[in-house]
Amino acid sequence: MALLTACGTMGGVTRIVIIGGGPGGYEAALVAAQLGAEVTVVDRDGLGGSAVLTDCVPSKTLIATAEVMTTFDSSYEELGIIVADDTPPLEQQARVVGVDLGKVNRRVKRLAIAQSHDITQSVTRAGVTVLRGRGRLGAGGQAVDGSREVLVDAPDGSVQSLRADAVLIATGAHPRELPDAQPDGERILTWTQVYDLEELPRELIVVGSGVTGAEFAGAYQAIGSKVTLVSSRDRVLPGEDPDAAEVLEEVFRRRGMNVMSRSRAETVKRVSARTEAPEGPSSPEAGEEGWVGDHVEVTLSDGTVIRGTHCLMAVGSIPNTADMGLEEAGVKLNDWGQIQVDRVSRTTAPGVYAAGDCTGVFMLASVAAMQGRIAMYHALGDAVQPLNLKTVASNVFTDPEIATVGYTAADVKCGKMDAVEVKLPLRGNPRAKMQGIRDGFVKLFCRPGTGIVVGGVVVAPRASELIHPISLAVDANLTVEQVASAFTVYPSVSGSTAEAARQLHIRKRADGES
Ligand SMILES: Cc1cc2nc3c(=O)[nH]c(=O)nc-3n(C[C@H](O)[C@H](O)[C@H](O)COP(=O)(O)OP(=O)(O)OC[C@H]3O[C@@H](n4cnc5c(N)ncnc54)[C@H](O)[C@@H]3O)c2cc1C
């Protein structure tokens, strides 16, 4: 019996064209191929997308080095570790432990390329055709048979026309640039350019204190840069749990980071040694005032000028949706240029779906992949669960890490969710004490009547690994009683999750009795 699919193909093989080969695109391609579609992925830069080539994978690989440095720095004295001889520990640290950034960055790039290669192999093995080039929707709109045209501008200048029963746009986003802070790839950098550095920035100014800014600020500080973090808001990580952000900001400051709150960067300029001081020494520290050589100057909105050797701009991203024939094809964009989608990834144009950062729904690789898969289930008539953002687990890869799932303190405060919370500082956890961990906590939210767990926050080293039981609880509507009754290993940091659940359970019982 012929199958009538959501994109209207009667029988035969459904043709799917995916523009963009990041997590939104390649995960969708794998699903569509499994479901028997004829799939083509068009990608400009390489499969894996920005997630693999410039964003997620590179930054977490850099952070792997930073993590080792932080663990060493923050615990060697207390844990009785001797570096080499009986030189006092602090001098040993300066003498023995350091980072070769050139080597770190070569490793970063090697891993990224290898992962892109692995993804290409698994996608092609699944029977997907991969085309290198820039994809856009053809001007003709929908044909009489319901199909759409996708045009591919190949690197050699040729243009190929493809027909598709359904199109998925998964083109991601790129770093936002400010007009008066143009990156030059050497001193003023976007997060995609930092991996070309051969030497550690001596004094790095990070503009932007969202997740990307905080992660890079923490990482560079850990590997040896002196870091200034410029934040336009009251505190770092304005979108995260306020208690978690407070812990991180406190840790950043304690480790010597200059965190400048309520400071908006207006301009960033490179001051060249040649133009400023032709006779002068070339290193920034060598001049009379310390800033004669090549350096950067960041001017804040109150006129303050701060100087560093490098500046990293982390001021958000712009969706890759321009000049793709989207609006002409009936795909509605919002004021930020993001594609409007519903919970099954449909755009406003029939047969055109969108997934990932180009939709701005939740800028995470895991969400992009889920949106892409959902689009294909829907387009190919498979059973589909609409996207549920309240079960998304996310993590800020700083030290300590901040992992979050479900409803947040902000949701409770604004009345979006009626929940009670408990917060247990890690200071009281036996494993944390043994490991010399003092900063962090586990926070749980549950419904007051039923005790169903609706959210949680973990601030701890490797919080990304510790959030999973809470994530399972939120996803499966488990109660605090159920979470509390499962065994945890003694001693373990995850013991605090069970303890938090126990405390909420006791409180719920007391509330019920009173
Ligand atoms: C520094 C940083 C760190 C991050 N770390 C994490 C993390 O740890 N965990 C996490 O979950 N998320 C992380 N993210 C977010 C994550 O990288 C994105 O959410 C994810 O990349 C989105 O996937 P995507 O498929 O939408 O787009 P992308 O990964 O951006 O892929 C889009 C692809 O489409 C291609 N493309 C664009 N236009 C066209 C066109 N017209 N034709 C053909 N191809 C085109 C691009 O070249 C690219 O290959 C991080 C982001 C940043 C900036």
Side-chain angles (χ1 to χ4, degrees):
M1 195 179 78
L3 176 76
L4 180 64
T5 70
C7 49
T9 315
M10 188 67 92
V13 178
T14 308
R15 296 158 300 173
I16 302 280
V17 174
I18 298 172
I19 309 179
Y26 77 77
E27 289 286 350
L30 290 170
V31 164
Q34 267 166 12
L35 292 174
E38 182 190 295
V39 191
T40 305
V41 176
V42 183
D43 191 89
R44 214 176 46 186
D45 300 318
L47 289 201
S50 314
V52 168
L53 293 168
T54 56
D55 296 357
C56 208
V57 170
S59 65
K60 264 80 262 184
T61 310
L62 171 75
I63 286 169
T65 299
E67 238 176 58
V68 175
M69 293 295 285
T70 312
T71 308
F72 180 80
D73 279 357
S74 58
S75 57
Y76 73 99
E77 249 182 334
E78 182 174 344
L79 272 57
I81 292 165
I82 293 171
V83 179
D85 51 29
D86 58 358
T87 317
L90 270 177
E91 282 135 53
Q92 284 172 4
Q93 185 201 349
R95 190 166 53 85
V96 180
V97 183
V99 163
D100 176 344
L101 190 65
K103 199 167 172 181
V104 171
N105 283 341
R106 284 191 288 282
R107 175 170 184 264
V108 166
K109 290 185 196 171
R110 218 173 37 242
L111 280 179
I113 288 166
Q115 192 158 337
S116 172
H117 180 73
D118 287 353
I119 293 167
T120 309
Q121 270 196 332
S122 65
V123 165
T124 44
R125 217 180 293 129
V128 173
T129 304
V130 178
L131 293 180
R132 191 69 177 252
R134 188 180 179 281
R136 58 194 159 95
L137 294 183
Q142 223 172 352
V144 203
D145 66 353
S147 71
R148 290 195 172 266
E149 184 186 35
V150 172
L151 296 171
V152 183
D153 301 305
D156 65 4
S158 63
V159 181
Q160 190 177 343
S161 165
L162 307 171
R163 293 237 63 105
D165 301 304
V167 179
L168 174 70
I169 315 284
T171 45
H174 61 274
R176 178 172 158 244
E177 293 175 9
L178 305 180
D180 292 323
Q182 286 298 303
D184 63 5
E186 290 178 358
R187 295 272 170 178
I188 305 171
L189 305 149
T190 66
W191 62 76
T192 67
Q193 295 170 329
V194 291
Y195 307 106
D196 289 329
L197 292 176
E198 277 295 315
E199 282 178 22
L200 194 65
R202 211 174 53 84
E203 301 206 15
L204 177 67
I205 300 167
V206 178
V207 176
S209 67
V211 175
T212 301
E215 287 187 352
F216 277 108
Y220 276 100
Q221 174 165 276
I223 61 176
S225 297
K226 187 170 182 301
V227 174
T228 297
L229 180 57
V230 178
S231 168
S232 62
R233 312 289 282 271
D234 288 347
R235 56 171 168 81
V236 301
L237 295 175
E240 297 293 321
D241 180 90
D243 293 335
E246 196 181 314
V247 170
L248 188 71
E249 188 164 326
E250 210 269 308
V251 170
F252 275 175
R253 288 187 200 275
R254 196 194 315 139
R255 291 182 185 153
M257 191 185 294
N258 176 20
V259 181
M260 303 185 72
S261 314
R262 290 182 293 278
S263 302
R264 186 174 289 280
E266 291 281 321
T267 64
V268 181
K269 65 173 186 187
R270 178 174 178 167
V271 181
S272 153
R274 283 181 300 281
T275 53
E276 285 287 293
E279 311 281 311
S282 61
S283 70
E285 70 274 30
E288 210 166 278
E289 289 180 10
W291 293 107
V292 175
D294 250 6
H295 66 277
V296 291
E297 287 183 355
V298 178
T299 305
L300 307 180
S301 47
D302 66 0
T304 310
V305 177
I306 49 174
R307 296 179 176 83
T309 57
H310 296 76
C311 179
L312 168 61
M313 300 300 296
V315 288
S317 53
I318 305 280
N320 296 326
T321 52
D323 305 323
M324 286 188 65
L326 295 176
E327 283 170 306
E328 295 83 338
V331 176
K332 213 165 166 188
L333 308 180
N334 65 19
D335 292 347
W336 296 277
Q338 295 157 333
I339 300 172
Q340 285 187 19
V341 283
D342 64 12
R343 288 176 61 210
V344 289
S345 309
R346 278 179 299 195
T347 69
T348 46
V352 182
Y353 294 77
D357 283 7
C358 64
T359 68
V361 166
F362 200 148
M363 311 275 263
L364 284 179
S366 52
V367 175
M370 187 61 81
Q371 285 180 291
R373 289 188 209 107
I374 287 174
M376 293 302 102
Y377 294 137
H378 189 272
L380 295 163
D382 209 53
V384 59
Q385 287 259 13
L387 184 70
N388 178 7
L389 291 179
K390 277 301 154 204
T391 56
V392 176
S394 63
N395 192 60
V396 184
F397 289 83
T398 42
D399 182 88
E401 292 182 3
I402 300 172
T404 311
V405 66
Y407 284 93
T408 62
D411 294 330
V412 176
K413 196 171 168 193
C414 74
K416 197 164 154 193
M417 169 54 72
D418 183 18
V420 284
E421 71 166 70
V422 76
K423 184 178 104 178
L424 290 188
L426 285 189
R427 241 177 290 113
N429 177 290
R431 185 83 192 278
K433 283 184 203 165
M434 292 165 208
Q435 293 178 323
I437 299 166
R438 285 187 194 78
D439 303 302
F441 59 79
V442 172
K443 190 189 269 192
L444 274 191
F445 299 95
C446 79
R447 302 277 294 166
T450 58
I452 288 174
V453 178
V454 291
V457 182
V458 180
V459 180
R462 303 274 160 142
S464 47
E465 312 290 345
L466 297 168
I467 196 74
H468 192 230
I470 306 179
S471 197
L472 273 178
V474 171
D475 191 58
N477 290 324
L478 298 185
T479 62
V480 281
E481 189 180 3
Q482 286 170 310
V483 173
S485 67
F487 273 99
T488 55
V489 168
Y490 178 85
S492 65
V493 176
S494 52
S496 286
T497 303
E499 180 54 28
R502 238 178 327 268
Q503 291 197 11
L504 278 173
H505 175 56
I506 291 165
R507 192 197 296 179
K508 191 171 72 75
R509 243 184 22 194
D511 288 350
E513 282 161 11
S514 63

